[in-house]
Amino acid sequence: MSRCKERFSSLGDVLLICAVIFVGTVMASNAQQPPESQEQREESVRLDIPIEEEGAHSQGVNRKRGHSEAENEATVDRDPDEPSQKTVGAPASSMYPMSLTSSSLMPIAPELMGHHPNLPMGYGAMLPPGGSMQPKNFMTQPGVNIAGSNNVVNIGCHVQSIGSVPLATSSSQLNPVPPPGPVPTPDHVPPPNQESDVPDTMSTFIQELKETGKALYDKILPIPYIKDELDSVDKVFIEVGLERRVGKDSWKKLGSYHDIFPKEKGNPRIQIIEGDPGYGKSTLALQMVYDWCNEVSGSPFSGPDILICLNLRQLKGITSIAQAIKQFSLPFDSKLKLLDVEQLISKSNIWVIFDAYDEYPDQHNKDNFVMQMLKGKIGQHVNILLTTRSSCIPPALGARTGRIRLTGFDNAAQERYIRKVVTGDDEVVKKVLKQLNINPTLGVLCRAPLFSVMYAHLTHKGSMLHEISSVTGFFGHMISCFLSHTQNKLSGADESPENLQTHADTHAALDKLAFEALTSKMQQLVWDRTFFVGELGEVFYKLYVDVGILVEEKETYIPAPGKVPQHKRVVRFYHKLFGEWYAAYHLIECVKSRSYILPENINLYDLKFLFMFACGLDQPGGSQVIKLLGERKDGAKSVVLCAPQLKEWSHDIQTTVRGIVSSRIHIKGYDSRLPQRSTIQLLELASQHKIPISEVWLQGSFSSVDPDSLSLVLHSGLCLPQLSTLQELVIWTKPGREVTVDECTRLLNYAIHSQLLRKLTL
């Protein structure tokens, strides 16, 4: 008797043994009973109990009509963090699926069935004595495991151990029952067979997407502070130059954005649309949304069943395309559930625009869902357009990925914009365009639609920009115009103009926030409004929102999986370039400490405007910035862009530039006008300071020789003048382009007038 007490030390152990004996009896009786009729099967709840490999998810449970959720639903899974344990099971021949009716489950410790506080309502649990329970991973479907000769029954919970019995394993010789439908994500956990509450889900889905799309494309602000002049994107959109990559260094001009997705079969379903800051990537994306929402005739973007535009800046922590659509592309009060979205996009012709990859907070996570889609691991039926800066192309893209680049506004596009949006007055149009032709710096900057639009509106309103000689000068003048206009508008308010000017000039806290956000591993230029106001103050914040430099938005978020979506107020810069402008002020303060080192993780070329602004804002600080850039292995291109921003070159700057031009300098045909212009300026300044220039290579950029000035004309329209200290010149023409006899003669004249030129290669 004492040995019996020792073996059965608790009532719970007794119940466990009874349960095991009962299950064994049921198994034996089932083996002897004849097959059930159809009517008998309908009268019972069939629980298909697959025998799985260790760690495999259980499959599905077909529920009996009329039973409660707690009776009908059961879940089984192993805790993924639990150490692996194995049990020697019965022979494979004895491991077979079995049917249990609801009545046969009840005798097994019925008092232990109920709702666990960490499980959703309706997900019951049966826990034998001595066992411990953990929340189920609801990515799997409900099911039941009966494993091994120990007959350990795991229903609706994780059983880590039962007394001295380790967690059972099972055989894989039998095929598991397939899940009944799409696997839900943790954000929405419906019962397995739940029907949608929306009668016509597809039409509702499309209607709601169009409502959200209209809210995106209907609020275009050409000038940030003129908030009473909101326009629809089609009212301001002018096509920019587009080129398709057809080889390693070869690009072919496209006639229109309608040609982005080629009509021929077998062409890439993924297109990367790249361009420098301010080149109109996001505006182009909104025009595509407009075409789809309004079913614009002749536009290929009106063709797909579904077209969705997602701003990657907002998708921090989002783990699936369905979750992103549910949270950011549907109205706040949408009745469509996450499972509805998953099902709808799985059976539709869908195009997705991922906008601003360079601002995507999760881009350094190689397993983010965007990269999984780009690599074709998920969503293989989805056509994808991804916009990004040219300096931030996603890595390791598949073979079926196309590359499109934006080349900006040419003179004709600038004129079309002015006539369409600014004014139709011929005299005013001629005046605005004349200033662009007079000032080469303005001409280069205004190839970027953002700068061109700002320039056109400011010049029309009387601001004179013809004396601007640098990127910093242009941007600084633009900021001053914004602040001045807002101060005049608010002069009758409670705040005096002097107080407003103080806030406008004192922005150290904003500078620091912008710099830390841009130079962090995950560039996150969106802040919670409460935090932001706490850092800057309410008056400062309101002024910068009124000016338009800062933009306040309402953002939807889910506080926790399964919770109701909530709204919060967030704040960002009108454009990332404005963030780089204010970050430049903080960089100047940092480099005053001679021990300051640039963070290793930052992409120097991606933040080229930050460094250009810093060099133009402060001469001593700019000199130190260029010195730091010159010490980096990847800093040469940034030095080329930044050095022309300085008004004077110190001895240290000359030393840094000497090291740059002692190596080969490339001017490539596929470079945009800004880096080409900066390279030419650097070479001119080096020549003026008598610094020897080793080699200059014109790779696909040479167009002709100007017979009057003997300057080398590039395809971009820029000119490389004679350089007195140039030692070698190499010209690679585009494939199929032959240099004529007249061009050879002029090139020889160019070489003769270059005093140190020793070698000319064609």
Side-chain angles (χ1 to χ4, degrees):
M1 186 66 181
S2 61
R3 281 183 296 176
C4 290
K5 289 182 179 180
E6 180 179 352
R7 183 167 182 81
F8 306 119
S9 57
S10 68
L11 177 60
D13 289 336
V14 174
L15 287 173
L16 172 61
I17 297 302
C18 291
V20 171
I21 294 171
F22 180 82
V23 171
T25 303
V26 172
M27 292 173 64
S29 63
N30 283 347
Q32 298 174 359
Q33 289 176 356
E36 291 182 317
S37 66
Q38 178 67 26
E39 291 77 8
Q40 287 174 318
R41 284 196 296 270
E42 289 179 354
E43 289 300 319
S44 64
V45 177
R46 176 171 175 78
L47 298 180
D48 294 311
I49 307 172
I51 306 301
E52 308 168 332
E53 290 286 0
E54 178 178 89
H57 293 307
S58 58
Q59 301 299 317
V61 178
N62 296 323
R63 300 179 300 164
K64 180 179 178 181
R65 295 192 188 109
H67 278 238
S68 68
E69 295 292 322
E71 292 173 319
N72 284 328
E73 295 178 14
T75 59
V76 177
D77 199 3
R78 178 191 297 277
D79 181 7
D81 297 324
E82 178 186 346
S84 176
Q85 299 182 18
K86 292 191 176 182
T87 298
V88 179
S93 59
S94 68
M95 298 180 185
Y96 52 87
M98 56 179 292
S99 298
L100 298 177
T101 64
S102 56
S103 59
S104 66
L105 280 175
M106 292 309 296
I108 306 180
E111 69 277 10
L112 296 174
M113 177 174 283
H115 296 291
H116 188 271
N118 291 328
L119 295 176
M121 290 295 293
Y123 285 80
M126 293 185 66
L127 187 61
S132 60
M133 182 170 66
Q134 297 180 356
K136 164 77 173 150
N137 176 3
F138 292 102
M139 288 293 288
T140 61
Q141 298 293 325
V144 179
N145 286 350
I146 295 183
S149 58
N150 296 298
N151 291 328
V152 178
V153 183
N154 302 336
I155 302 179
C157 62
H158 295 282
V159 181
Q160 288 183 317
S161 62
I162 303 177
S164 60
V165 182
L167 188 64
T169 61
S170 55
S171 171
S172 61
Q173 294 188 7
L174 296 174
N175 294 326
V177 179
V183 179
T185 65
D187 300 271
H188 178 69
V189 190
N193 298 321
Q194 178 177 338
E195 297 291 337
S196 173
D197 297 332
V198 184
D200 189 349
T201 54
M202 178 57 79
S203 62
T204 301
F205 188 44
I206 292 174
Q207 180 183 350
E208 292 185 350
L209 287 174
K210 289 186 175 182
E211 290 175 4
T212 307
K214 188 176 189 299
L216 291 175
Y217 69 69
D218 227 13
K219 297 180 180 179
I220 303 299
L221 276 173
I223 299 293
Y225 63 79
I226 310 179
K227 295 182 174 61
D228 55 347
E229 295 185 11
L230 288 173
D231 282 311
S232 174
V233 68
D234 66 304
K235 303 297 184 186
V236 300
F237 178 73
I238 297 292
E239 288 220 40
V240 297
L242 291 168
E243 294 179 343
R244 183 191 309 284
R245 188 174 183 177
V246 294
K248 183 178 180 182
D249 293 325
S250 182
W251 298 78
K252 180 182 179 181
K253 187 174 181 179
L254 298 181
S256 167
Y257 73 98
H258 290 176
D259 302 325
I260 288 177
F261 275 117
K263 297 178 181 178
E264 299 82 5
K265 292 185 177 180
N267 282 296
R269 67 175 181 84
I270 300 173
Q271 298 287 349
I272 307 298
I273 302 178
E274 61 184 89
D276 281 347
Y279 265 61
K281 300 180 291 292
S282 295
T283 304
L284 176 59
L286 291 179
Q287 180 63 34
M288 295 172 182
V289 175
Y290 175 88
D291 288 359
W292 181 74
C293 291
N294 294 277
E295 301 179 13
V296 174
S297 177
S299 172
F301 296 96
S302 63
D305 299 334
I306 297 169
L307 186 143
I308 296 164
C309 182
L310 294 166
N311 193 312
L312 289 175
R313 180 183 64 243
Q314 299 177 315
L315 303 191
K316 181 179 181 180
I318 301 297
T319 58
S320 73
I321 181 66
Q323 183 187 359
I325 293 170
K326 170 64 178 169
Q327 191 162 332
F328 294 102
S329 294
L330 296 180
F332 182 74
D333 57 352
S334 174
K335 293 183 179 180
L336 291 172
K337 300 179 174 63
L338 185 63
L339 186 59
D340 296 329
V341 176
E342 290 173 344
Q343 293 173 342
L344 289 167
I345 64 177
S346 68
K347 59 185 179 182
S348 304
N349 174 20
I350 177 172
W351 291 16
V352 175
I353 304 170
F354 290 123
D355 189 29
Y357 179 80
D358 53 286
E359 299 182 43
Y360 182 32
D362 291 345
Q363 63 179 267
H364 298 288
N365 174 12
K366 297 179 181 179
D367 294 325
N368 67 73
F369 82 93
V370 176
M371 282 306 304
Q372 297 297 309
M373 292 184 70
L374 291 175
K375 292 179 179 180
K377 295 183 177 180
I378 57 175
Q380 293 89 346
H381 68 294
V382 180
N383 281 351
I384 299 174
L385 296 103
L386 182 141
T387 72
T388 185
R389 288 189 177 190
S390 301
S391 55
C392 191
I393 304 297
L397 297 175
R400 292 199 63 198
T401 302
R403 293 272 293 274
I404 304 291
R405 69 172 183 177
L406 279 61
T407 58
F409 276 177
D410 57 14
N411 293 336
Q414 290 169 343
E415 182 174 349
R416 287 198 302 272
Y417 179 84
I418 296 170
R419 291 187 181 278
K420 180 177 181 178
V421 183
V422 182
T423 178
D425 189 316
D426 288 342
E427 292 300 319
V428 175
V429 172
K430 290 178 181 178
K431 177 184 175 182
V432 173
L433 293 174
K434 182 180 178 180
Q435 290 193 29
L436 288 176
N437 294 327
I438 292 174
N439 189 324
T441 301
L442 277 178
V444 170
L445 284 176
C446 290
R447 291 288 177 171
L450 175 69
F451 291 139
S452 184
V453 168
M454 298 287 184
Y455 163 79
H457 284 276
L458 292 175
T459 302
H460 177 57
K461 293 181 180 298
S463 180
M464 302 303 291
L465 295 166
H466 60 275
E467 296 182 358
I468 299 299
S469 60
S470 68
V471 175
T472 309
F474 179 92
F475 214 86
H477 185 86
M478 186 174 67
I479 295 286
S480 297
C481 290
F482 292 176
L483 290 168
S484 176
H485 175 88
T486 305
Q487 287 169 353
N488 292 335
K489 186 175 68 174
L490 299 177
S491 59
D494 296 337
E495 290 287 334
S496 66
E498 294 79 12
N499 196 13
L500 290 173
Q501 186 63 48
T502 300
H503 287 299
D505 294 339
T506 309
H507 43 73
L510 179 62
D511 304 340
K512 183 179 180 182
L513 283 176
F515 183 81
E516 290 176 347
L518 285 166
T519 57
S520 64
K521 186 175 181 180
M522 297 187 302
Q523 290 187 10
Q524 180 68 9
L525 281 171
V526 180
W527 297 269
D528 179 81
R529 184 193 185 281
T530 303
F531 165 80
F532 204 81
V533 172
E535 293 292 311
L536 303 178
E538 186 69 42
V539 176
F540 180 96
Y541 174 77
K542 187 177 185 304
L543 172 64
Y544 275 71
V545 170
D546 287 336
V547 171
I549 293 172
L550 296 176
V551 177
E552 183 178 304
E553 296 176 325
K554 185 167 62 174
E555 186 173 281
T556 304
Y557 74 102
I558 300 175
K563 298 296 183 181
V564 177
Q566 302 291 328
H567 278 156
K568 66 177 178 180
R569 291 284 177 177
V570 297
V571 59
R572 62 174 177 84
F573 283 103
Y574 171 80
H575 192 280
K576 189 176 177 180
L577 282 172
F578 287 83
E580 293 183 62
W581 172 262
Y582 286 99
Y585 283 94
H586 187 72
L587 176 60
I588 292 169
E589 293 300 315
C590 289
V591 298
K592 288 180 179 178
S593 169
R594 297 288 176 173
S595 61
Y596 178 78
I597 300 175
L598 290 171
E600 287 292 331
N601 64 286
I602 64 174
N603 183 334
L604 298 182
Y605 198 68
D606 180 48
L607 298 177
K608 56 180 176 285
F609 279 96
L610 189 161
F611 299 111
M612 292 167 70
F613 291 152
C615 292
L617 286 170
D618 185 82
Q619 179 75 28
S623 298
Q624 186 63 19
V625 168
I626 289 180
K627 182 181 177 182
L628 291 173
L629 293 172
E631 293 171 353
R632 291 272 296 254
K633 292 181 179 179
D634 57 344
K637 290 175 68 175
S638 298
V639 171
V640 170
L641 290 168
C642 293
Q645 300 295 314
L646 296 173
K647 295 179 180 179
E648 298 179 4
W649 281 12
S650 65
H651 176 73
D652 288 343
I653 297 300
Q654 292 187 42
T655 301
T656 301
V657 172
R658 190 182 301 273
I660 298 294
V661 300
S662 64
S663 301
R664 184 180 299 168
I665 299 294
H666 295 269
I667 301 179
K668 300 177 181 180
Y670 58 81
D671 285 339
S672 65
R673 286 171 61 96
L674 180 60
Q676 285 188 356
R677 171 68 178 166
S678 298
T679 303
I680 291 170
Q681 286 181 305
L682 180 79
L683 294 173
E684 287 184 278
L685 291 169
S687 184
Q688 292 172 14
H689 285 84
K690 307 300 181 185
I691 299 173
I693 302 170
S694 178
E695 300 176 57
V696 172
W697 285 46
L698 304 183
Q699 292 182 255
S701 57
F702 172 77
S703 176
S704 61
V705 182
D706 187 289
D708 298 322
S709 63
L710 291 180
S711 297
L712 305 182
V713 182
L714 308 183
H715 285 293
S716 63
L718 299 175
C719 293
L720 178 67
Q722 294 178 10
L723 303 171
S724 60
T725 60
L726 177 62
Q727 297 175 346
E728 182 177 348
L729 175 64
V730 178
I731 298 178
W732 281 15
T733 58
K734 290 184 176 181
R737 164 77 159 87
E738 298 291 339
V739 179
T740 66
V741 174
D742 286 343
E743 287 175 334
C744 285
T745 302
R746 292 170 185 170
L747 285 169
L748 289 173
N749 286 333
Y750 178 91
I752 291 171
H753 288 84
S754 300
Q755 301 170 10
L756 300 182
L757 190 66
R758 302 192 304 263
K759 186 177 181 180
L760 173 63
T761 303
L762 299 177

